[in-house]
Amino acid sequence: MATPNGKALAKKVLLIGWDAADWKIASPLVDAGLMPTLDDMISHGVMGNLATLQPVLSPMLWNSIATGKRAHKHGIHGFMEPDPHSGGVRPVSSTSRKVKALWNILTQRGYKTHVLGWFAGHPAEPINGIAVSDLYPHAVETIDKPWPLPPGTIHPENMRDVFARLRMHPAEVTQEAILPLIPRAGEVDQEKDPGLATFSKVLAENCSIHNAATWILQNEPWDFMAVYYNGIDHFCHAFMHFRPPRMAGIPEKLFDIYKDVVDGAYRFHDMMLETLITLAGPETTVLLVSDHGFHSDHLRPRSIPNEPAGAAVQHRRFGIFCMKGPHVRQDQRIYGATLLDVAPTVLTLFGLPVGDDMDGRVLVQAFDNMPEIERIPSWESEPGECGMHASDLRMDPIAAQAVIQQFVALGYIQPQTEDQGKAVASAVREGKYNLAREYLDSRRPADALPLLEELCRENSSEMHYRMPLAQCYLSLGRYRDARSVIEEVLKVAPENAPTSNSDGKPEAAVAERVARSRPWADWLLGTIDLAEGRADEALAALLRAEQADPFLPNLHLRIGETYLRCKRIDDAGRAFQRALEIDGDSAEAHVGLAIVHLRQHRDEEAASEALIAVGLQHFFPLGHFNLGIALARLGQRERAMLAFETSLTMLPTLAAAHRWLGFLYAQPGGDAVKAARHRYLHEQLRRRRHGVDRATPQAAS
């Protein structure tokens, strides 16, 4: 073990990942007394939403959690990657991660560190402790055949036999394990319905990971452990459409058989959580996180897009965060956390510096007292053995194929073809697409543009590449180019979609994508019209989109913004309220209401809505900006200046924030130098006309 750091807030840290866990499901179960361990964590610690990133794909997200960095920095861009050895493809691997994860940093500082099942964790890294890769629990043969561990599954190698014995095979899942979650399992025709086989596979894999984690806690010294469970995500993809209330088109008999699986999976995870916390001991700081949530109500999609990673449409943009331990506040809710904040917070728990190149921040609001935060330029330049692999390490092809088939079953990737070249091209294409979307999410449209232009040029029939390209042009202020892309989409009627079969009929998948693109195209046309100052045309396009798909993401936000531009304040308020009826966690809708209230001079209500918005999504410059306006009007000058300064750390070109700060610093007791500086910056930005995109709403000052 490492020598204790005098600045450390924790002796040990246990990081638990529940893929896709969501407070919308967990909270009612906690309130009903059905998840007592999570209830205890909440009562004796802090909890809150954990905002995810785009695209909402688990390999990218879990590596952002482990590194504190976005995907364009850590290098994991999807589910699959080219295999340099076979010439085909393989699941994303630990050798593709370009930066140090927490377990590498802690290894470098001498901490005894273990990691189990983490996404893109194969081959297991040679850290200062035990590493169990994500290929570990997958059964590739029937139970009557040998089931050897793939090479590279366990580090150190001499622990292979120990961990091989800890695995559970799906055939070992008994009726005693199935019936509590599926009481009518005996009615399932297993030759036609794969539900029980899927259930047993997911349960066995998570039991295998859990067995390995509990063995380490009981038998090995440790300072840090990270353990990842995929169960909630996989149970949800397989059974969420059976969860009450019954969705249209779901047969009543199947609903009655499988309706309790998802909630039962949460309760099962709570039982595993109890064991981990008990074995870890009271001196341990425990963090429970998820990479995203999962739609469980009226937002459950009616269909899954027939495209790579189409199943991600089921993911919700808020996961869970819960932490308890010494120096952690008790029975408190925290706001504004993102999954990028997990790694910096863990480093601070150990008293270690946070890298300036990390994209997250320390969740200081979670602690009893402000922690001392040290910083270094980057952990990547710190010398010393960190337990990372060379990038060309080989992956076992049989085990890799088992994982690939699981990704296919979940809907994350398309079935493989015999043509390896096509499979490689598909992996490269989707990696570029995911990277481009990540650039857009991180406000780097100039970096996304060449990737999207190339994808559209080389894949002219793929509609799902064109919409992000139009959004990219829009972000860059290239409205004519954005409009041109959208008009090309609108020219393609489903009956005229590209054909691929011999009878000349449209390929079903292509026709489906074209039809689904129409409301998106109107949505974007309306956004462009709004940016160009044509509010009436914008409203007409947006209302067409609403008629086609009233649940289109962010549609009612754009309608509300358009009404604001038309000075139809009451209509704008109704649109933002409608957006909140659809998604109560929409930070943008709360800001929209804040702007409406500001226009109506209801400043206290405006401040309240803006506070909710920045609580849901901390990195939201316009949320902080409009909060600043409300606070300034309420006479809370210091808080208002802090809000404006915060908005500028996120969006330095927000000219109106400089104007407000110039005004506030010029008041008696202010700072004349800062006032002059902000007035100068406002004037420079105004002249250059590089202020906030006109399509983005701001409250009038």
Side-chain angles (χ1 to χ4, degrees):
M1 292 190 182
T3 302
N5 189 325
K7 301 174 184 176
L9 300 173
K11 293 181 179 179
K12 297 181 177 182
V13 175
L14 174 61
L15 173 61
I16 303 167
W18 285 359
D19 199 313
D22 195 314
W23 288 122
K24 278 193 172 183
I25 302 175
S27 291
L29 294 173
V30 168
D31 293 342
L34 299 176
M35 295 185 73
T37 313
L38 183 56
D39 189 12
D40 183 76
M41 274 198 74
I42 294 169
S43 299
H44 295 90
V46 297
M47 59 87 72
N49 284 325
L50 199 64
T52 191
L53 307 173
Q54 295 290 337
V56 190
L57 299 178
S58 291
M60 303 170 73
L61 302 176
W62 285 106
N63 280 279
S64 287
I65 289 172
T67 63
K69 297 180 179 180
R70 286 181 170 271
H72 69 264
K73 294 181 181 179
H74 66 58
I76 303 295
H77 300 150
F79 289 90
M80 306 299 296
E81 64 186 15
D83 186 339
H85 300 283
S86 70
V89 295
R90 67 185 186 187
V92 287
S93 64
S94 60
T95 61
S96 297
R97 198 185 67 245
K98 299 185 294 186
V99 301
K100 296 171 184 174
L102 282 167
W103 44 88
N104 303 120
I105 294 171
L106 293 170
T107 285
Q108 201 162 3
R109 288 298 179 95
Y111 290 91
K112 184 62 74 172
T113 300
H114 311 294
V115 58
L116 298 95
W118 211 263
F119 226 125
H122 190 87
E125 294 181 273
I127 57 175
N128 181 31
I130 296 172
V132 177
S133 91
D134 51 336
L135 296 195
Y136 168 74
H138 299 296
V140 297
E141 296 287 357
T142 56
I143 195 169
D144 59 328
K145 295 181 180 178
W147 184 17
L149 277 172
T153 304
I154 305 293
H155 167 82
E157 187 71 17
N158 61 9
M159 302 292 291
R160 283 174 56 85
D161 291 343
V162 170
F163 285 96
R165 291 192 295 270
L166 294 170
R167 294 173 299 168
M168 175 183 283
H169 194 281
E172 295 178 286
V173 176
T174 63
Q175 65 177 5
E176 286 77 15
I178 296 173
L179 291 177
L181 277 73
I182 311 177
R184 295 172 59 178
E187 300 176 29
V188 175
D189 182 349
Q190 296 190 56
E191 292 186 0
K192 298 179 180 179
D193 182 351
L196 296 186
T198 298
F199 176 89
S200 298
K201 182 177 185 297
V202 176
L203 188 70
E205 289 172 357
N206 283 267
C207 286
S208 296
I209 290 292
H210 187 64
N211 291 345
T214 55
W215 187 92
I216 292 173
L217 290 173
Q218 291 174 298
N219 293 281
E220 293 289 321
W222 67 287
D223 299 303
F224 173 77
M225 174 185 280
V227 55
Y228 163 83
Y229 297 89
N230 66 20
I232 289 176
D233 182 70
H234 289 196
F235 280 125
C236 285
H237 278 295
F239 299 103
M240 181 60 80
H241 51 294
F242 298 117
R243 187 175 186 266
R246 179 156 67 102
M247 296 177 67
I250 297 298
E252 185 173 357
K253 180 178 180 180
L254 291 179
F255 171 77
D256 289 339
I257 290 173
Y258 294 121
K259 61 185 174 66
D260 298 319
V261 173
V262 170
D263 288 9
Y266 272 76
R267 297 179 65 186
F268 175 64
H269 278 67
D270 191 75
M271 297 176 195
M272 293 192 289
L273 178 64
E274 179 185 21
T275 304
L276 291 179
I277 291 176
T278 300
L279 292 176
E283 77 281 4
T284 299
T285 297
V286 181
L287 293 88
L288 176 65
V289 303
S290 66
D291 57 333
H292 56 75
F294 207 100
H295 288 303
S296 56
D297 48 23
H298 60 287
L299 294 177
R300 285 180 289 185
R302 290 163 290 179
S303 61
I304 305 300
N306 188 8
E307 60 190 43
V313 72
Q314 298 172 284
H315 296 165
R316 205 168 75 90
R317 60 180 171 170
F318 290 106
I320 70 170
F321 177 84
C322 195
M323 179 169 71
K324 78 165 186 174
H327 306 290
V328 177
R329 297 168 66 194
Q330 294 197 21
D331 198 19
Q332 297 291 323
R333 187 179 183 100
I334 64 171
Y335 297 92
T338 80
L339 53 80
L340 293 166
D341 303 331
V342 174
T345 301
V346 170
L347 291 176
T348 299
L349 284 168
F350 281 109
L352 296 176
V354 177
D356 287 334
D357 57 345
M358 289 183 170
D359 297 307
R361 62 192 177 94
V362 179
L363 294 172
V364 296
Q365 67 269 40
F367 298 103
D368 288 333
N369 298 297
M370 175 67 71
E372 183 176 346
I373 301 173
E374 292 189 9
R375 306 197 73 89
I376 58 174
S378 176
W379 278 99
E380 308 313 316
S381 57
E382 287 291 296
E385 176 54 48
C386 67
M388 291 183 75
H389 283 306
S391 61
D392 60 348
L393 203 65
R394 184 175 178 83
M395 180 180 289
D396 180 73
I398 297 176
Q401 187 62 28
V403 178
I404 290 170
Q405 292 307 314
Q406 177 169 273
F407 289 162
V408 171
L410 290 169
Y412 286 139
I413 65 172
Q414 297 296 303
Q416 285 188 290
T417 65
E418 295 182 2
D419 186 336
Q420 285 189 321
K422 289 183 179 179
V424 170
S426 176
V428 171
R429 185 167 60 247
E430 292 311 305
K432 289 180 180 179
Y433 177 52
N434 293 335
L435 178 58
R437 293 168 67 198
E438 197 278 329
Y439 278 138
L440 288 175
D441 186 56
S442 56
R443 294 176 172 83
R444 299 178 59 170
D447 292 315
L449 183 60
L451 294 169
L452 291 168
E453 287 181 328
E454 177 187 355
L455 287 167
C456 289
R457 185 170 57 250
E458 296 179 356
N459 306 275
S460 59
S461 66
E462 296 290 344
M463 296 298 107
H464 69 293
Y465 295 147
R466 296 193 187 189
M467 292 297 103
L469 176 60
Q471 289 175 299
C472 189
Y473 282 137
L474 180 60
S475 298
L476 292 167
R478 294 173 57 175
Y479 304 138
R480 181 179 298 177
D481 291 327
R483 189 180 296 278
S484 176
V485 171
I486 298 167
E487 288 174 349
E488 288 178 12
V489 172
L490 292 174
K491 289 177 184 176
V492 182
E495 62 271 16
N496 296 326
T499 60
S500 65
N501 43 9
S502 58
D503 60 7
K505 293 182 180 179
E507 182 185 359
V510 176
E512 175 199 340
R513 294 175 196 175
V514 171
R516 199 172 61 250
S517 296
R518 298 300 293 263
W520 274 107
D522 280 325
W523 182 95
L524 279 167
L525 278 178
T527 305
I528 295 169
D529 286 330
L530 185 61
E532 293 180 329
R534 294 191 296 274
D536 290 339
E537 291 90 336
L539 189 58
L542 292 169
L543 292 178
R544 284 198 306 272
E546 182 185 26
Q547 186 173 10
D549 186 356
F551 290 95
L552 200 66
N554 298 328
L555 171 62
H556 296 280
L557 300 178
R558 299 290 89 79
I559 293 174
E561 292 160 15
T562 307
Y563 280 133
L564 283 175
R565 187 67 57 84
C566 298
K567 296 183 170 35
R568 295 169 59 175
I569 307 304
D570 292 341
D571 287 332
R574 283 188 285 271
F576 293 128
Q577 287 286 4
R578 176 59 178 146
L580 287 174
E581 290 170 9
I582 293 173
D583 181 5
D585 289 330
S586 171
E588 296 87 349
H590 284 291
V591 164
L593 283 178
I595 296 170
V596 168
H597 294 326
L598 286 170
R599 300 280 179 89
Q600 297 168 332
H601 299 283
R602 295 157 59 185
D603 299 325
E604 288 188 4
E605 293 170 79
S608 177
E609 292 292 343
L611 279 169
I612 293 172
V614 298
L616 287 166
Q617 183 177 326
H618 178 74
F619 194 95
F620 193 0
L622 291 180
H624 295 281
F625 172 74
N626 285 286
L627 174 61
I629 294 176
L631 294 172
R633 289 184 179 180
L634 292 168
Q636 300 182 35
R637 189 177 73 169
E638 295 298 324
R639 291 182 64 197
M641 289 192 295
L642 176 60
F644 289 127
E645 295 280 11
T646 301
S647 71
L648 287 171
T649 65
M650 301 172 181
L651 188 60
T653 57
L654 188 48
H658 287 295
R659 185 184 70 229
W660 269 101
L661 285 168
F663 169 75
L664 293 172
Y665 276 120
Q667 301 303 303
D671 187 321
V673 174
K674 288 184 177 180
R677 174 176 172 272
H678 283 292
R679 284 197 297 265
Y680 170 79
L681 290 172
H682 168 257
E683 182 61 21
Q684 292 298 308
L685 288 167
R686 187 187 67 81
R687 288 181 178 179
R688 288 162 46 194
R689 301 182 64 82
H690 285 331
V692 175
D693 187 340
R694 288 182 297 169
T696 307
Q698 295 183 57
S701 58

